[in-house]
Amino acid sequence: MRYSQMRWRRACVGLAAAAMLGVPASTGTAYGAPALQPSFSASSSTGTDFPELSPSVAARLDTAIRQVMRETGVPGVIVGLSAPGKGSYVRAFGVADKATGAPMKPDLYMRIGSVTKTFTVSALLELVDQGKVGLDDPIAKYIDGVPNGDRITLRDLAGMRSGLFNYSMDETSSRH
């Protein structure tokens, strides 16, 4: 197997592990890890169930992440959580390259490609469930300057049927 294919597979496994960790961190127990108890006060500015990312919550996340890594055999993972008014948690665990033992680092550049579509659409559907956006809202309601943005809906974007050009394929794009 080529080195780049191995790195890609490691990246996918690492991302899958990170995704699995996000659910237990916010909803309860999984993989034998203790449930995280929200530590926010009633005067929380966001009014969500997302816990304050305090040192005690960070320590519990560290423990849960290491346990999942052991149980799943994941060699390395980067985990990042943040919420307005709740703080942030960014940590790297394990190794980025088992052959060299190079450690995982929070600033590691790794293209995750299509995996982001799943995360993005899941977040979109959460916003739909909360009544904050509608799947049939035009993208122009949220972002100016999108070609045909008044006709392209969030549903079209989520289903990858918007007809928009893939900017990452454009060598002249500043976003490339």
Side-chain angles (χ1 to χ4, degrees):
M1 184 179 297
R2 289 186 8 234
Y3 180 71
S4 63
Q5 287 176 323
M6 288 174 30
R7 284 186 63 99
W8 175 247
R9 285 187 182 183
R10 281 189 207 140
C12 290
V13 170
L15 288 167
M20 289 185 293
L21 291 170
V23 173
S26 62
T27 62
T29 60
Y31 312 109
L36 293 172
Q37 299 301 315
S39 60
F40 56 89
S41 68
S43 63
S44 171
S45 62
T46 60
T48 68
D49 291 338
F50 194 92
E52 187 82 33
L53 293 170
S54 65
S56 65
V57 170
R60 294 175 81 178
L61 282 168
D62 290 350
T63 299
I65 291 164
R66 287 185 179 105
Q67 181 175 344
V68 170
M69 286 178 68
R70 274 191 309 276
E71 291 175 4
T72 60
V74 172
V77 65
I78 301 168
V79 179
L81 301 169
S82 67
K86 302 292 186 168
S88 65
Y89 171 93
V90 178
R91 299 274 203 293
F93 300 86
V95 297
D97 187 330
K98 289 181 2 179
T100 66
M104 209 41 121
K105 295 179 183 176
D107 64 348
L108 175 70
Y109 173 79
M110 183 178 302
R111 185 180 182 285
I112 61 174
S114 290
V115 175
T116 58
K117 293 173 190 164
T118 303
F119 296 137
T120 303
V121 173
S122 294
L124 172 64
L125 292 174
E126 287 286 326
L127 293 171
V128 169
D129 286 347
Q130 294 169 13
K132 294 181 179 179
V133 301
L135 284 176
D136 295 315
D137 290 350
I139 189 65
K141 181 176 179 179
Y142 305 100
I143 301 173
D144 292 327
V146 175
N148 297 313
D150 59 329
R151 293 186 307 212
I152 298 170
T153 66
L154 297 179
R155 183 185 311 272
D156 294 329
L157 289 168
M160 295 179 285
R161 297 182 312 269
S162 69
L164 292 172
F165 177 73
N166 182 353
Y167 75 84
S168 67
M169 301 294 288
D170 182 0
E171 295 294 326
T172 64
S173 172
S174 62
R175 297 176 185 169
H176 191 262

